Amino acid sequence: MRIRILVDGKSFGVKQGDNLLHACLSNGLDLPYFCWHPLLGSVGSCRQCAVKSYDSEDDQEGRMVMACMESATQGCRISIDDPEAVRFRAQVIEWLMVNHPHDCAVCDEGGECHLQDMTVMTGHDHRRYRFTKSTHRNQDLGPFINHEMNRCITCYRCVRFYRDYAGGEDLNAFGAHDRMYFGRQSDGTLESPFSGNLVEVCPTGVFTDKTFKAHYTRKWDLQTSPSVCVHCSLGCNTLLGERYGEVRRVLNRYNADVNGYLLCDRGRFGYDFVNSEQRIREPHGRQAGAAAGEDLDQEAVLERCASLLKTDNSLVGIGSPRASLEANFALRELVGADHFYSGISAQEYELEGAVLKALREGPVRTPSLREVESADAVLLLGEDPTDSAPMLALALRQSVRQQPLREAMKAGIPQWHDSAVRGMIQDRKGPLFVATPVATALDDIATEALRAAPDDVARLGLAVAHVIDPQAPAVGGLAAAAQALAKRIAAALLSAERPLVVSGTACGSTVVIQAAAAVATALSVARAQTEVDPPLLFLTLSECNSLGLALLNPKPLAQLLKSGGKGVGGTAVVLENDLFRRAPAEQVDALLEGRSLVVLDHVPHATTERAHLVLPAATFAESSGTLVNNEGRAQQFHAALAPAAAIRPSWSWLRGAHAAARPLEAPPVSLEDLRNACAAATPELAEVWTPAATAEQTQTLRYAEEKVPRASFRASGRTAMHAHLNVHEPSPPADADSALAFTMEGFSSPDGQLIPSYWAPGWNSVQALNKFQSEIGGEQRGGDPGVRLIEPRAAGPSCYPDAAPAAYAARDGEWLVLALPRIFGGEELSNGSPALQERTPEARLVLHAEDGRALGLEDGDEVEVSAPGCSLRLPVTLLDDAVPGVAMLPLGIPGKGYLALPLRASIRRAPA
Amino acid sequence: MERPLTQNIDRGREPLGLKAYEAAGGYQAVRKVLTEMTPEQVTKAVKDSGLRGRGGAGFPTGLKWSFVPMGDDAPHPKYLVCNADEMEPGTFKDRVLLEGDPHLMVESMIVAGYAMGADVGYIFLRWAYRLADRRLRAAIAEATAAGYLGDNILGSGYSLTLHVHVSAGRYICGEETALLNSLEGRRATPRAKPPFPQVSGLWGKPTIVQNVETLCNVPHVINRGADWFRGLSRTEEGGTKLYGVSGRVKNPGCWELPMGTPIREIVEEHAGGMQDGLKLRGLLPGGASTDFLVEEHFDTPMDYTSIQAAGSRMGTGTMILLDDGNCPVGMALNMQNFFARESCGWCTPCRDGLPWIEKLLQAIENGDGHADDLDLLDAHARDLGPGNTFCALAPGAMEPLHSGLKFFRQDFERHIAGKGCPWS
């Protein structure tokens, strides 16, 4: 309910029950703060948001209160400008500055420091403390985070985020009084996969981005652009910062529905592949049969394209789940829909098919991450999102607080009153039920965690569905314990207000995905006649544009490979893809045999090595495009830098080649034209780019009649950048693909998806975000970016499989080898980032401890894994919390090539 | 004169064991409440007695208990916590009770526990009270064996488990909510109120935290009634009080006297007056975190209302004396040194303000004071006041500083002008 409060005599509309700091900030008022954070709530420790509160109109005296610790009530009166409050806030800053270094001018946080902003805001500018400052020893916290404890102002946000919000355990508050210390018990890598958020959560420079420090530049000298993370299927929104042709860092870009204020460490630190020395920077041609090739200039390359593509009326194109919708569509246009193939493995295609069926035909809605956070009972089947879709795991860590939170609210404790809420609900969590083949990082918050092979996970899921809706297939021969567990899960889901079922392709099993959909369907049937909210079904996919590619209806790659490419033309065009990661080498070899191969990509791999023509493609950081996340949300990313001379976005190469080969069929077009064509050709994508720009407009894309500058108006080094070469400043690169410009000039405060950075007068840190939200923690002014493409059918056909799979039976001497996703080392692009490489653990086969003992193995011993078409040697990790007869193999081991997981294999101790 | 709290205490011998304690009328209150009274009647009896918290804040005890949710719907387990973390400088009154009559402590816990429907009781004991720890554990063992503790006490259906928890030793643990965090194994930082512990206390459950001396009054109130209790006092506020005196008097110590006994009487008659050649300049009436009182206040009766009217707080009722042979700046420095060290580090004013004050006082004491240092001290004394800080530690620390600057300002100025301490 909206109410009105009086701040310094002026009336403001606020949400009843919000704390006063939240209410003031939502109304655009400037009130300094440190310990409060919209995600973390209030604890009242820093005392920075002090205001005067008055009991009534007659109260002239007032009393000092902390705005963050008081609820807004109808007609309440406060003053920010009261001289006593103003003086006290300046005094608080003076206390905080007692031990803080006075080195803003040379500090690497300077210019983007909340402490600096708040110090200026309170007017504290004269130092009266004349004694020694205390100093601390810094810790080595690993490759992501730099530690500089002397800057600490003891706001406690770091530990509250790291421990209370993200479930981390290895960062803590130590010491007491004015000798507080925030760090690890001893030096060492921060273990939480969300540690990078400390960079933004810390209001000053205690925790900073070590990868950024490695190629540091003043933050106001960065060119920044709104982007979308390419390192998993969730589509978190990011801000890329660039200087001198190099991506320097990734920051969170707020999207209330998706990632909110946070990113995972893969998303934040995986960017460095863009700067790789391995990058393909020149077009490269190789005549058929020749061992070596040559770099080509633009003219020669298009000629070569034309000759390769013109001569062949039935080209074959292989798309990519990590390339944009536009690039995939341009390829489909070039080769024709009949010859457009999905660049994913046979297994992946099947798994995706199961997900798509549930999304497109099922009656249950796929929630946003924000909705996941507010789910109050969760069933997680098959995978550990901490590794496959990390921000989902973080969202689930919030959902387990929902039911206990209700108790606190019933006791009259406002939700923002964080310490009181936590004091009351203590460690109560859930319900969250986890059923996976191996221990997960979410087990610590799980109500119950079951270890089972995928078929048994599916059987449990179907048993739950059957308990909820008897129309769902019955599961025969289920053990009594599993049946009882299914009943407990069903009861928890049925009694919840917002039940959620989670699974995804990382579980490697279509029957598990079907079972997850069945549980959600059963819930939706059971709840159909009631007033309660419908259930939710969240399914992860593998890559950043898996769903976007699928929506273009490509044919399965396996079909093409099985036929050995019979019936398709003599030239294959491969878009941003290494086929040797997608299929067995002999199948790929058979396809490539005797064919001309054109490959577009940004780093070399086995497929580019085989190509007759390699076209240097822009990464996401150098191009604009659209990705569709697992939720079916289409989101646009924008280039942070113009690509180097010979590099072009894939869609542009493809369109250029198309025009060169068949000029009548495909005149040169802009990105917007291509989008219009894509929307026209694909009904499901019709809404993605609305309102689409017309052909004339595309040449002069504008926001509010002006371009939006990527550089901040404080960018100080622009004219100096090339001065050692030429004192004439070169004109900035043009950007016809977006309304953004590579300059300092233009309209600098756009809304929505074009916001290139957060800045407002007096707010230089990331917390300037406050000024871009319609209300704190709510949606952005101008709406959050992204368009949802898939909504559930009102009363779709049943999503139940015909029958439950048979129970998993371990076979003597044979193991079921499953794919094990890994947050670091498990994703192709981020694997090229040095910081992530440092965090990538040795690839090990995970075996149940009993199996290991039976083989005479100890942890770390080497084993041989043998199956038809597969022979591997690697060390083992023995776990009690796994399934006997099931082995887990890390996904994406460099140099190990393609493995058709799951597979049956024999395992034995490797000979010395 | 009746001395109900200390009637069984003779420091020349071991405290009374169970049998002797029962023979002296002990555990009668337990029997009475379990057989004759409802929990509500017990709370009402305490309310009627006018008993106020003896830990320092003086909050009406019965009223505090009445906030605990009762009845079948009430959350369980409920907890009764005895705050025996007696860390206030100059204060040693609870020690007298804990060491001298542990069964009184145990009986008090049972009676108060019954009133609030507590399932579990904790005695949160100052780390240094090793003797009290031993004696309490022995008393609990005896009482448990005799059926006064444990399941279904004396067949009444009421059950209470009682534990002694020895604190790790921080002043802040005496703050009731920091105590609860500490008891839960968390950092000993205070919690925001509301919610009050009666609603969400230990492990989020309804909890009463009560000082030792307060609780020890309860069995007597039950046995003898509110009128008797009020009659013990020399003023409006009921009961007796343990008063203590430390400083350079002839006979420092702790005595149970009628509530409202005047300061001068306590100092002159019970503490034997100042040592020869010394004159009393001022005193902190109730521990280190209360305002100085000076000559003009020495006839004030020691009760909550009168001491407050005189400009200070009764606090724990154990006073620290400043004589004319001691340096008030040195005394202030000593106290601020303690408070700065004992700040938990949670809120900014306390964490960073107190050490600054300490450094300023040290500079003044060393002869390095600046002319405007007193302005800074004044500003801190004001800015570390109630409401500005998270809990009462820093405002308490400011009480002796603020009043010290008022009453002994010429001493501070002399230190600064003379570049050193005239006493050293």
Side-chain angles (χ1 to χ4, degrees), chain B residues 211-421:
Chain B
N211 166 260
V212 172
E213 184 186 352
T214 318
L215 283 169
C216 287
N217 276 297
V218 172
H220 300 293
V221 168
I222 296 302
N223 288 333
R224 313 282 294 271
D227 290 342
W228 163 84
F229 185 76
R230 288 178 178 279
L232 294 171
S233 165
R234 285 164 67 166
T235 61
E236 291 299 299
E237 292 164 14
T240 59
K241 177 77 190 78
L242 292 179
Y243 294 113
V245 175
S246 59
R248 291 201 273 182
V249 288
K250 290 189 176 123
N251 178 31
C254 177
W255 312 272
E256 184 182 7
L257 301 173
M259 179 67 87
T261 304
I263 292 172
R264 199 182 298 278
E265 189 179 323
I266 298 170
V267 173
E268 296 292 329
E269 289 181 22
H270 300 281
M274 300 306 290
Q275 289 174 11
D276 293 339
L278 294 175
K279 189 173 173 304
L280 180 61
R281 278 190 81 189
L283 56 85
L284 304 172
S289 51
T290 54
D291 279 290
F292 272 105
L293 294 179
V294 291
E295 178 64 39
E296 63 192 91
H297 308 117
F298 291 165
D299 290 315
T300 312
M302 277 284 275
D303 70 17
Y304 297 98
T305 316
S306 314
I307 295 293
Q308 191 159 1
S312 184
R313 286 190 308 116
M314 171 113 121
T316 61
T318 47
M319 43 190 106
I320 303 172
L321 273 46
L322 170 68
D323 58 66
D324 60 353
N326 252 321
C327 169
V329 176
M331 181 172 176
L333 171 60
N334 185 317
M335 286 186 292
Q336 297 309 321
N337 174 288
F338 173 83
F339 288 120
R341 190 188 71 217
E342 294 300 329
S343 166
C344 74
W346 178 246
C347 78
T348 307
C350 179
R351 179 186 65 239
D352 291 321
L354 292 178
W356 191 356
I357 292 170
E358 183 198 0
K359 291 188 175 95
L360 284 167
L361 290 170
Q362 186 69 60
I364 294 170
E365 180 72 359
N366 291 349
D368 299 327
H370 292 190
D372 50 6
D373 282 354
L374 293 188
D375 297 337
L376 261 176
L377 288 175
D378 285 336
H380 275 80
R382 176 191 55 205
D383 285 336
L384 270 63
N388 292 359
T389 58
F390 193 86
C391 80
L393 188 149
M398 290 306 97
E399 290 181 21
L401 180 69
H402 178 252
S403 50
L405 284 166
K406 183 169 81 183
F407 293 126
F408 313 117
R409 196 165 192 95
Q410 67 285 9
D411 291 294
F412 287 84
E413 288 165 349
R414 225 172 113 197
H415 276 72
I416 295 172
K419 296 202 177 301
C421 176

Side-chain angles (χ1 to χ4, degrees), chain A residues 43-47 64 66 69 87-88 91-92 94-96 98-99 128-132 153-154 156 173-178 180 411 413 417 420 423-424 426-428, chain B residues 170 184 186-187 192 194-195 199-200 203-204 340-341 343-349 351-353 355-356 359-360 363 368-370 373 376 380 382-384 387-390:
Chain A
V43 292
S45 92
C46 75
R47 320 307 277 178
M64 201 93 85
M66 301 306 132
M69 296 297 278
R87 198 194 47 72
F88 181 72
Q91 178 62 64
V92 172
E94 186 174 15
W95 283 321
L96 293 173
V98 158
N99 289 307
R128 295 184 290 180
Y129 179 79
R130 65 172 191 272
F131 306 102
T132 324
I153 56 161
T154 321
Y156 290 85
F174 299 95
H177 46 90
D178 62 339
M180 289 297 301
I413 302 173
H417 196 335
M424 175 159 243
Q426 295 279 322
D427 296 325
R428 287 194 288 284
Chain B
R170 300 292 306 183
E184 288 180 9
R186 301 171 198 274
R187 286 184 66 81
V199 175
S200 175
W203 288 297
R341 190 188 71 217
S343 166
C344 74
W346 178 246
C347 78
T348 307
R351 179 186 65 239
D352 291 321
W356 191 356
K359 291 188 175 95
L360 284 167
D368 299 327
H370 292 190
D373 282 354
L376 261 176
H380 275 80
R382 176 191 55 205
D383 285 336
L384 270 63
N388 292 359
T389 58
F390 193 86

Side-chain angles (χ1 to χ4, degrees), chain A residues 371-425:
Chain A
E371 289 170 288
V372 169
E373 285 173 3
S374 62
D376 62 346
V378 183
L379 172 61
L380 172 61
L381 292 180
E383 72 179 69
D384 184 354
T386 315
D387 280 302
S388 57
M391 287 295 289
L392 169 61
L394 193 55
L396 292 175
R397 285 193 175 273
Q398 313 319 311
S399 66
V400 294
R401 296 188 63 220
Q402 293 304 316
Q403 286 207 18
L405 198 58
R406 250 178 261 153
E407 275 175 57
M409 309 215 2
K410 231 183 280 168
I413 302 173
Q415 192 172 342
W416 50 258
H417 196 335
D418 188 59
S419 49
V421 167
R422 288 180 194 277
M424 175 159 243
I425 72 182

Side-chain angles (χ1 to χ4, degrees), chain A residues 509-554:
Chain A
S509 163
T510 49
V511 288
V512 170
I513 295 170
Q514 286 163 358
V519 177
T521 304
L523 280 168
S524 130
V525 169
R527 295 162 84 93
Q529 305 308 322
T530 64
E531 308 252 306
V532 293
D533 289 343
L536 302 169
L537 173 65
F538 195 90
L539 299 172
T540 65
L541 290 162
S542 300
E543 287 170 73
C544 61
N545 202 24
S546 291
L547 192 51
L549 173 60
L551 293 179
L552 292 172
N553 289 317

Side-chain angles (χ1 to χ4, degrees), chain B residues 127-254:
Chain B
W127 65 278
Y129 286 2
R130 305 290 165 89
L131 181 63
D133 180 29
R134 276 203 303 282
R135 288 179 172 177
L136 281 170
R137 285 177 203 271
I140 289 171
E142 276 190 308
T144 307
Y148 290 120
L149 283 171
D151 287 343
N152 193 15
I153 297 169
L154 304 179
S156 65
Y158 174 64
S159 303
L160 178 72
T161 312
L162 184 57
H163 304 281
V164 177
H165 176 92
V166 179
S167 168
R170 300 292 306 183
Y171 176 62
I172 194 63
C173 293
E175 201 283 337
E176 65 172 356
T177 58
L179 184 156
L180 295 178
N181 274 339
S182 169
L183 204 46
E184 288 180 9
R186 301 171 198 274
R187 286 184 66 81
T189 52
R191 300 175 179 177
K193 294 186 274 194
F196 290 92
Q198 293 94 316
V199 175
S200 175
L202 191 59
W203 288 297
K205 300 295 182 187
T207 302
I208 291 281
V209 183
Q210 204 83 63
N211 166 260
V212 172
E213 184 186 352
T214 318
L215 283 169
C216 287
N217 276 297
V218 172
H220 300 293
V221 168
I222 296 302
N223 288 333
R224 313 282 294 271
D227 290 342
W228 163 84
F229 185 76
R230 288 178 178 279
L232 294 171
S233 165
R234 285 164 67 166
T235 61
E236 291 299 299
E237 292 164 14
T240 59
K241 177 77 190 78
L242 292 179
Y243 294 113
V245 175
S246 59
R248 291 201 273 182
V249 288
K250 290 189 176 123
N251 178 31
C254 177

Side-chain angles (χ1 to χ4, degrees), chain A residues 1-6 11-12 14 16-17 71-77:
Chain A
M1 197 177 74
R2 303 293 291 185
I3 54 165
R4 301 206 66 87
I5 63 169
L6 279 173
S11 173
F12 292 94
V14 306
Q16 183 166 31
S71 285
T73 53
Q74 175 66 35
C76 72
R77 296 159 179 276

